[in-house]
Amino acid sequence: LEFRRVLFRSDKAKAQFVQAKPMIEAYAHYFGEYPFARDGYKLIQVPYTGMEHQTAVTYGNGFQNGYGGRDWTGVGVSPKFDFIIIHESGHEWFGNAVSAADVSDMWIQEGWCNYLEFIYVEALFGREDAIKYANGYKSKIGNREPIITQRGIHRTPNQDMYFKGALFLDTLRNAVNDDDRWWRLIRGTFEKFKYQNIMTEDLVRFFSAELKQDMAPVFDQYLRRVNLPVLELTFSEAEQRVAYRWNADERGFNLPIKVGDPAKWQLIQPTTDWKSMEWTAGKDAFKVATDLFYVNVQVLQANGRP
């Protein structure tokens, strides 16, 4: 996509628009080329905050960084970029090129688009800022109802489809634990479903085939259930072991997760049945990578009580 024939109403508008080029380059690098190159890319000033429209993003963020000038996630990363340009333009990939076939599955548009924000931050400002930015979204999640709403009625899901949906995808990235494989997977997702209306079941089938395991329990826990999965732990100092399992609504839930020493994480694959591993460093030294995985953790006593 060539940036040319651009008209600006002010120098401030021109200065803000320069963010669009590295944003489009970052999204194209990880997901695939801008999907509407023949039609171009426009920002159209409007008296409201902004909204996605195919090739013509409406923009009303006041030519300032953050969201209306404020730190959107409260962790000091949002002021580095114009939220409306970055988020709404991301919808050209997920929302306009790949669309939900039913309003109940709008996380396909909003959750994936929020995840594109993480990718932009990582590409422009580094992995550390991307992790910080992603974790800043946790405070916006309610976990009061499922992300996917009832099929067959026109009811827009609650805002968890944005923030929990994005953190779910980021959790999957860390569970895959192989960035080369992960970037191939999400690029393959876009290429497979580009210019289509799809449902969550389509994504589950694709992810299951690519990762060679049934991903339905993991998708269902995050998207069709209210509660986060809880990694339960019990420690035996005498035996120098830690036992672990997932407490989840989905009986087949088996998300891999990183635990142990943050300097050399171990990737384990808990299920909803108890497993154990050797741990000689003591209970206080045992950590769970909750900055990389959107989960809860609970340490139980030997009698199984918190």
Side-chain angles (χ1 to χ4, degrees), residues 239-250:
E239 298 177 5
Q240 295 189 319
R241 297 190 70 80
V242 56
Y244 54 86
R245 74 172 180 185
W246 285 118
N247 183 345
D249 299 296
E250 294 294 323

Side-chain angles (χ1 to χ4, degrees), residues 217-237:
V218 176
F219 273 75
D220 288 348
Q221 182 67 42
Y222 279 94
L223 304 176
R224 302 182 191 278
R225 302 285 191 168
V226 173
N227 297 321
L228 285 179
V230 180
L231 184 66
E232 294 183 335
L233 306 169
T234 63
F235 292 86
S236 173
E237 301 288 351

Side-chain angles (χ1 to χ4, degrees), residues 148-164:
I148 297 176
T149 54
Q150 181 181 339
R151 298 272 167 82
I153 60 173
H154 193 76
R155 175 174 174 252
T156 303
N158 68 77
Q159 71 172 14
D160 282 3
M161 67 175 171
Y162 294 83
F163 316 126
K164 189 176 181 179

Side-chain angles (χ1 to χ4, degrees), residues 47-66:
Y48 56 89
T49 308
M51 187 176 180
E52 70 271 22
H53 300 278
Q54 186 173 308
T55 78
V57 172
T58 53
Y59 174 84
N61 203 39
F63 304 112
Q64 56 193 334
N65 283 356

Side-chain angles (χ1 to χ4, degrees), residues 9 28 37 73 96 138-139 152 168-169 237 240-241 253 291:
R9 296 182 61 180
T73 54
N96 297 335
K138 290 180 178 177
S139 64
F168 165 53
L169 292 171
E237 301 288 351
Q240 295 189 319
R241 297 190 70 80
F253 188 80
D291 59 336

Side-chain angles (χ1 to χ4, degrees), residues 73-130:
T73 54
V75 293
V77 179
S78 298
K80 295 183 178 185
F81 62 94
D82 188 320
F83 171 80
I84 291 298
I85 292 177
I86 303 312
H87 177 86
E88 302 301 349
S89 300
H91 277 302
E92 301 294 1
W93 281 261
F94 282 86
N96 297 335
V98 179
S99 303
D102 187 88
V103 69
S104 62
D105 275 20
M106 275 185 63
W107 83 278
I108 292 171
Q109 301 178 183
E110 299 296 355
W112 277 84
C113 189
N114 257 69
Y115 184 63
L116 264 69
E117 295 172 29
F118 300 178
I119 291 174
Y120 171 82
V121 172
E122 183 168 347
L124 272 291
F125 310 115
R127 178 66 172 151
E128 184 176 339
D129 269 0

